[in-house]
Amino acid sequence: MKKITKKEIINLCISLLLFYVFWQIHYFRQNPWQVIKLTIGHFYLFILPGYFLLLKYIHQINFAYRIFIGAGIGYSLVLIIVYLLNLIFKLDIMITYIIIPIIFIVTGIIIFYIKNRRVNG
Amino acid sequence: MPEEQNGIDLNLSLFKKLNLELVMLFIFMGVMLYFISVFSGAKLIHDSPYQYVAGDMFFLLSGADWITDSGDVTKYPSYLSDGANDQFPGLLPLFPMATAFLSDFTGIEKYDILFHLNIFFTVMTLLAVYLLLRKINKNMAILALPIMLLMFKWPFNYNLTWGMQMANMNFFFVITALIVFSLLNLPIMFLFFGILNAGSFFSHMRELLTLGLGISIYFLFSALKRNFDWMRLKKTFYSCIVSGIIVSYYLPILWQLVKANTSGGFILKYCPAMTHLPHFVVLKDMGVFQWFFILGVGIALLTIIFKKNVKQEYLLVSAFGFACIFTSYVCIIGNKTSHIRNFLPFFAAFFIGILLLNLCSILRRFRKILICAAFMTFIILMISNHFPKEIPEYAVSNPATWDSFRWIQANTEEDASILALYGDNFYQYTLFFSMKRRIHEVNTNEYINRIKEGIISPILPAHRRFLGKKLVREGNKLKDITYGSLVNVSMCDYDYIYTNKISRIKPIQDYTSMVINNLIREANFSIVYTNELTVVLKNNNVNGTCFKEKRFNR
């Protein structure tokens, strides 16, 4: 379990680094701090929520697939939930958008641990 | 799916031995960075909207502006509704929301984030297509990569600079949905498939129709191959229920928006080639690759018909490719459905990959060398023949215009009415939405006619520039659908006059100066803001006496 988690964290860090390097090369005349903020924004708001929700498939789906599918699901799910909360309950979307990603991240981690505890007996 | 066979192992152990696929992938990433270097000027932050070539870019920017300002997606602000309140937005929300959130989170201007997201989703789609094809065969996926670089070249890059952001986002959802569909037999994966489809619905919708058609064709192919997967069909059905629940609240509204936006009431019809449009994609835009594409389509068809054991992913990808080809020739709710043609490099990559893989398989002994050679040849062909041309930096907006907008936002009343006179860049009227004020714009043709006739008059026909179509929401229904029209207005009825004082056409520039002078001398206007390009005049006596119509010597 610890080995899997460590490998997963390393893979995640490499993805984050690759993402940053790619956009920093593209925006090479830009102050790195802005590109770092952009990278954190993409990952926190959209990519990580989807990625963590897919963590339960760690043994079935390869990391690269999970991060890409996770990005698709993250962009889709976070935006839909924020939109529906606004449409139905009139919640201010400029507040909910900060809160919703962390809820999905925590949910994904909890599901992962519950599933693994069951598997490990 | 075995872990190490079907995916890229991002583990460090990969670097310990030479992995040919990884080497080609890195070469490709380098070339892609070179291709996208024509966008953004190597900077994330600009003084004003950069490389915004057409009005739709500003249309979506105004969406992100209004979402950030109000925190509410359910109604347009009054400045986008010609002064009316509570108008329901006919804009699908996901892309403007993503722009607003990322901009608010990072503190980077919305117009920069919007353009960045455009490139971001295209790059992500490209890599997602690679991963999708890799589920069929990794060599095929590698060979398909260079073809997708065409996305950054005209006319395909119309998607990037002319305002097809929502479609770009949606195509990423669609490709991701295809990967998820291939994994649908995993527990509760149908839930994610449903979420992606709902995201697709709320981001642009038309590509979702293509996806739906593609999946239907896939089931048809499976049935013909006597390899029908009932479990997958059942899970697809479950996912439709999930999507249906998510979008149900919006469906009655959508139906009325569709009715409001389609004058002829058609849903599906044949769409003739619109070659008069500069951005309309035809096969020859792919150069030599069009022949590879056609051959690839033929081989895919033959494989599906005659080969016994065809991979499910092969059927799925081919089915989606055929659906893309079909929807390129039909109109679904308006003409622009054929814009799927602008994604041709993505779905052509499926078929070209299939063709090349088959060619390389003929000489099995040299397959590895052939694949490397084909990949490098394609890369060289792309760089030499298909490298994108420079994009105009400030085609519509420019820093001077943007400074004047910022001044108006900071120094005029929120309910101020503004009349825009003339500017060489005013032809894309959505530009004015970023002013965040109620704006009417003088009809350019009439303005030029007055110059030709030698008449200077305060009364001119003007367009009411707004997004709302008087769609007022009651519960989850809309009422009162009416449209804006051209009306005769008096310059002296507005709080402010906004114009460019410089024009590339000298007689227009002189005429505008004359109008400004008349407004100041005879109608109680004063200049409150000016820069090297623009002027803002304040009306100190709204609805008061105006200057008289007169003739002048041309």
Side-chain angles (χ1 to χ4, degrees), chain B residues 247-315:
Chain B
V247 305
S248 59
Y249 197 77
Y250 193 83
L251 276 175
I253 298 164
L254 171 77
W255 179 240
Q256 290 176 72
L257 283 173
V258 168
K259 280 202 292 187
N261 286 312
T262 49
S263 51
F266 58 81
I267 297 292
L268 183 81
K269 72 168 189 177
Y270 170 69
C271 185
M274 292 177 281
T275 42
H276 60 284
L277 299 173
H279 55 76
F280 191 80
V281 168
V282 287
L283 270 182
K284 70 173 182 194
D285 292 320
M286 290 180 75
V288 70
F289 297 110
Q290 63 180 306
W291 307 114
F292 287 80
F293 171 60
I294 293 165
L295 280 171
V297 171
I299 287 187
L301 263 177
L302 291 173
T303 309
I304 290 165
I305 295 168
F306 295 111
K307 200 174 171 188
K308 275 190 179 168
N309 296 317
V310 184
K311 263 191 176 182
Q312 291 291 315
E313 286 84 1
Y314 190 100
L315 288 182

Side-chain angles (χ1 to χ4, degrees), chain B residues 80-106:
Chain B
L80 287 178
S81 319
D82 198 29
N85 289 312
D86 202 29
Q87 288 211 17
F88 189 80
L91 175 64
L92 286 165
L94 290 210
F95 190 89
M97 279 169 71
T99 308
F101 297 166
L102 204 54
S103 166
D104 189 61
F105 190 84
T106 58

Side-chain angles (χ1 to χ4, degrees), chain B residues 93-266:
Chain B
L94 290 210
F95 190 89
M97 279 169 71
T99 308
F101 297 166
L102 204 54
S103 166
D104 189 61
F105 190 84
T106 58
I108 297 166
E109 283 280 1
K110 282 181 279 294
Y111 56 76
D112 285 321
I113 289 291
L114 187 139
F115 198 86
H116 160 76
L117 279 177
N118 236 349
I119 301 171
F120 169 77
F121 281 119
T122 308
V123 170
M124 289 293 276
T125 309
L126 193 151
L127 296 174
V129 169
Y130 165 74
L131 288 177
L132 176 66
L133 297 184
R134 207 177 182 281
K135 285 175 79 61
I136 302 171
N137 183 296
K138 68 177 182 180
N139 293 330
M140 175 186 158
I142 277 288
L143 290 171
L145 276 174
I147 312 301
M148 292 190 272
L149 288 172
L150 283 171
M151 271 312 292
F152 303 110
K153 182 206 166 193
W154 182 260
F156 308 105
N157 69 14
Y158 156 80
N159 278 31
L160 293 166
T161 54
W162 284 49
M164 294 305 293
Q165 299 93 316
M166 297 197 294
N168 292 341
M169 179 191 224
N170 198 14
F171 211 73
F172 174 58
F173 287 157
V174 164
I175 299 295
T176 317
L178 282 173
I179 301 176
V180 171
F181 183 80
S182 70
L183 300 165
L184 212 54
N185 287 337
L186 289 174
I188 70 158
M189 198 48 106
F190 71 87
L191 198 65
F192 296 113
F193 187 57
I195 289 166
L196 280 164
N197 289 341
S200 193
F201 178 93
F202 281 125
S203 56
H204 199 238
M205 222 176 293
R206 286 162 180 166
E207 292 76 15
L208 180 64
L209 296 168
T210 311
L211 176 71
L213 182 68
I215 285 173
S216 308
I217 298 173
Y218 160 78
F219 281 119
L220 183 73
F221 283 167
S222 305
L224 291 173
K225 302 298 291 177
R226 295 181 185 176
N227 193 15
F228 198 83
D229 189 346
W230 284 102
M231 185 58 85
R232 194 168 286 194
L233 182 67
K234 197 170 92 179
K235 298 216 169 169
T236 308
F237 178 67
Y238 290 162
S239 74
C240 290
I241 295 173
V242 173
S243 312
I245 292 169
I246 295 172
V247 305
S248 59
Y249 197 77
Y250 193 83
L251 276 175
I253 298 164
L254 171 77
W255 179 240
Q256 290 176 72
L257 283 173
V258 168
K259 280 202 292 187
N261 286 312
T262 49
S263 51
F266 58 81

Side-chain angles (χ1 to χ4, degrees), chain B residues 267-412:
Chain B
I267 297 292
L268 183 81
K269 72 168 189 177
Y270 170 69
C271 185
M274 292 177 281
T275 42
H276 60 284
L277 299 173
H279 55 76
F280 191 80
V281 168
V282 287
L283 270 182
K284 70 173 182 194
D285 292 320
M286 290 180 75
V288 70
F289 297 110
Q290 63 180 306
W291 307 114
F292 287 80
F293 171 60
I294 293 165
L295 280 171
V297 171
I299 287 187
L301 263 177
L302 291 173
T303 309
I304 290 165
I305 295 168
F306 295 111
K307 200 174 171 188
K308 275 190 179 168
N309 296 317
V310 184
K311 263 191 176 182
Q312 291 291 315
E313 286 84 1
Y314 190 100
L315 288 182
L316 178 65
V317 164
S318 307
F320 180 69
F322 292 132
C324 288
I325 294 169
F326 174 74
T327 45
S328 301
Y329 291 97
V330 294
C331 303
I332 307 172
I333 314 164
N335 283 332
K336 274 197 166 180
T337 308
S338 56
H339 79 269
I340 199 91
R341 283 165 179 260
N342 286 76
F343 292 112
L344 179 62
F346 288 139
F347 58 89
F350 303 162
F351 295 111
I352 295 174
I354 288 169
L355 172 76
L356 291 175
L357 189 69
N358 277 281
L359 288 177
C360 293
S361 305
I362 296 168
L363 295 164
R364 279 181 183 231
R365 208 172 146 196
F366 306 104
R367 192 161 66 175
K368 216 169 185 177
I369 298 166
L370 278 174
I371 285 164
C372 289
F375 174 80
M376 287 313 295
T377 310
F378 274 32
I379 289 280
I380 291 163
L381 265 175
M382 278 292 163
I383 295 172
S384 56
N385 293 342
H386 297 285
F387 188 76
K389 286 181 185 157
E390 286 297 317
I391 315 287
E393 288 185 322
Y394 297 109
V396 180
S397 65
N398 52 64
T401 302
W402 221 248
D403 283 346
S404 66
F405 283 12
R406 285 193 186 111
W407 184 89
I408 287 169
Q409 286 165 23
N411 297 286
T412 63

